[in-house]
Amino acid sequence: RLREGGGAGPVRTPVVRRLVGLITGDELRSAKEEMRGRFGALPVEVQNLLPTVRLKIRAGAAKVHSISLDADSLALRLDAGGLYDRVTLYRKYGTEARISNALLKIPRHLLTGDGIGDIEEILESMARLRSSLRPAAQDAANSEKVQDVAASSA
């Protein structure tokens, strides 16, 4: 069990539940610092869970609904509002990377190592693309508001 000042044993479910419920990188950093302060060194079970939680957070920011990695391929499915960075994907994986509707499939033989680094890169490029489009979308929305105000006062 996790105990103040350290200790061995299985990880308590509330700790795991808290980690899985995090939605931002800042929340993850804060939770890790708090757990280290309360329990000492993080148990192996928690350390093993952290990369998965990081991927979950990045996937949420990129509007990815699901990630599947098997012996044949990597598949990512988008939520509404998600965008694939097609230029980056095709530069790295060529035309074997397939995008159909909201599904991206990349053959496993194109991935490096265990594929986790590839997933992180894809999610990061998607998040960068979303961030780069936000200011343009905000400018367009503001322009529409100005036009609406001008039309209603005319």
Side-chain angles (χ1 to χ4, degrees):
R1 295 180 191 257
L2 286 176
R3 294 185 294 263
E4 303 276 338
V11 177
R12 214 176 269 168
T13 303
V15 172
V16 173
R17 193 175 303 127
R18 177 169 180 217
L19 284 175
V20 172
L22 300 176
I23 58 172
T24 68
D26 288 340
E27 288 177 353
L28 179 58
R29 279 186 288 283
S30 176
K32 281 175 26 181
E33 289 173 17
E34 179 185 331
M35 284 187 283
R36 282 191 181 113
R38 289 180 61 196
F39 307 117
L42 297 178
V44 173
E45 298 90 346
V46 172
Q47 292 176 25
N48 291 340
L49 182 60
L50 294 176
T52 303
V53 172
R54 256 191 304 279
L55 278 179
K56 177 192 159 284
I57 290 168
R58 287 184 176 157
K63 300 291 187 189
V64 171
H65 177 75
S66 64
I67 300 171
S68 173
L69 181 62
D70 61 30
D72 297 324
S73 65
L74 165 65
L76 280 80
R77 183 168 300 281
L78 291 180
D79 280 333
L83 297 169
Y84 291 117
D85 184 350
R86 291 173 186 257
V87 172
T88 300
L89 287 168
Y90 292 143
R91 278 187 187 146
K92 182 163 184 172
Y93 303 107
T95 57
E96 286 189 73
R98 303 276 184 200
I99 299 173
S100 176
N101 297 324
L103 179 66
L104 164 66
K105 285 192 97 167
I106 300 172
R108 182 68 188 247
H109 72 272
L110 296 176
L111 305 178
T112 54
D114 63 3
I116 301 301
D118 291 87
I119 295 169
E120 289 175 338
E121 287 177 25
I122 292 167
L123 294 175
E124 185 61 36
S125 72
M126 292 171 67
R128 277 194 311 272
L129 178 62
R130 284 183 55 76
S131 293
S132 71
L133 295 176
R134 266 191 218 123
Q138 288 172 347
D139 289 346
N142 289 338
S143 175
E144 287 176 16
K145 287 179 188 175
V146 169
Q147 290 174 359
D148 288 344
V149 169
S152 66
S153 63

